[in-house]
């Protein structure tokens, strides 16, 4: 975990710069995705065909605005683990990602380049369209408060639980 935090702070500079520049194009990268181990790249590294895209039943996508919001930090990881346990996600293919994004409207198309899911739960400190299951790409998306936000404002836990129950219903859990 310490290496991941160091990676977020030193390599990605999340405390200072949220979106890294692509040196080959001199333009901002639209979105970057990270697992607990580091950058998320699909199995084939570069996707050649739509059949190369990884499929999941559920993706938890946590939008980072600060390094302290990562779902992989010990304090947020513990709460996030309790949330997943309460959902009883047994035998489901689940992917957990942190991401940085320049423009949220580009997030569905950027994620679709590397993977797709029946449902995507977007965690954010400032969710848009909170609690609404909306079709975006091949699946449904719902935005709610992030585990890091819930640590700051425990009163929002009921809102998040209601949103997660909608996801459970959608996945027949």
């Amino acid at each position: 975990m310490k290496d991941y935090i160091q990676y977020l702070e030193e390599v990605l500079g999340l405390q200072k710069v949220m979106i890294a520049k692509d040196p080959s194009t001199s333009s901002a990268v639209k979105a970057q995705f990270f697992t607990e181990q580091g950058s998320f790249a699909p199995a084939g590294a570069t996707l050649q065909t739509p059949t190369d895209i990884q499929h999941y039943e559920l993706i938890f996508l946590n939008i980072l605005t600060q390094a302290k919001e990562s779902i992989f930090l010990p304090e947020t990881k513990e709460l996030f683990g309790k949330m997943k346990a309460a959902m009883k996600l047994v035998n489901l293919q689940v992917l957990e990602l942190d991401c940085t994004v320049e423009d949220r409207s580009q997030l569905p198309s950027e994620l679709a380049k590397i993977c797709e899911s029946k449902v995507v739960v977007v965690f954010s400190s400032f969710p848009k369209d909170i609690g609404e299951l909306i079709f975006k790409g091949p699946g449904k998306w719902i935005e709610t408060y992030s585990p890091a936000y819930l640590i700051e404002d425990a009163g929002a836990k009921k809102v998040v639980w209601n949103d997660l129950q909608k996801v459970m219903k959608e996945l027949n859990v």
Side-chain angles (χ1 to χ4, degrees):
M1 182 55 61
K2 182 180 175 190
D3 292 338
Y4 183 70
I5 296 167
Q6 184 177 3
Y7 173 81
L8 287 173
E9 293 174 348
E10 295 176 7
V11 177
L12 298 178
L14 287 179
Q15 301 257 339
K16 299 174 188 131
V17 179
M18 290 308 302
I19 304 295
K21 297 287 181 182
D22 181 351
S24 65
T25 63
S26 302
S27 64
V29 175
K30 291 181 182 175
Q32 294 182 321
F33 303 97
F34 308 95
T35 64
E36 190 167 9
Q37 290 75 35
S39 289
F40 176 73
T46 56
L47 299 175
Q48 302 299 320
T49 67
T51 58
D52 293 336
I53 293 175
Q54 296 179 23
H55 300 274
Y56 299 90
E57 293 168 278
L58 176 62
I59 296 176
F60 289 105
L61 185 61
N62 183 53
I63 298 175
L64 295 173
T65 55
Q66 304 175 51
K68 71 177 186 174
E69 294 176 338
S70 173
I71 55 175
F72 305 118
L73 293 175
E75 53 276 357
T76 53
K77 186 176 183 175
E78 181 181 351
L79 178 57
F80 181 45
K82 290 177 182 178
M83 293 163 66
K84 292 184 299 185
M87 292 178 75
K88 300 178 178 142
L89 303 173
V90 180
N91 299 323
L92 290 179
Q93 289 184 301
V94 178
L95 177 63
E96 302 165 5
L97 296 171
D98 275 340
C99 80
T100 58
V101 64
E102 179 182 324
D103 176 3
R104 278 191 195 194
S105 67
Q106 298 297 315
L107 201 50
S109 61
E110 290 296 309
L111 186 62
K113 291 177 184 177
I114 56 173
C115 61
E116 59 183 41
S117 176
K118 182 175 181 180
V119 179
V120 177
V121 176
V122 179
F123 289 132
S124 170
S125 294
F126 307 100
K128 297 180 179 183
D129 303 317
I130 191 164
E132 293 182 43
L133 273 167
I134 301 170
F135 276 105
K136 291 186 181 182
K140 291 186 178 180
W141 288 50
I142 188 168
E143 279 200 46
T144 195
Y145 293 107
S146 68
Y149 182 85
L150 296 178
I151 291 171
E152 304 277 327
D153 181 3
K157 287 182 179 179
K158 184 172 181 162
V159 172
V160 174
W161 179 239
N162 288 335
D163 295 342
L164 295 180
Q165 287 178 317
K166 292 175 189 175
V167 171
M168 293 163 56
K169 184 176 180 181
E170 188 67 28
L171 295 171
N172 297 318
V173 178

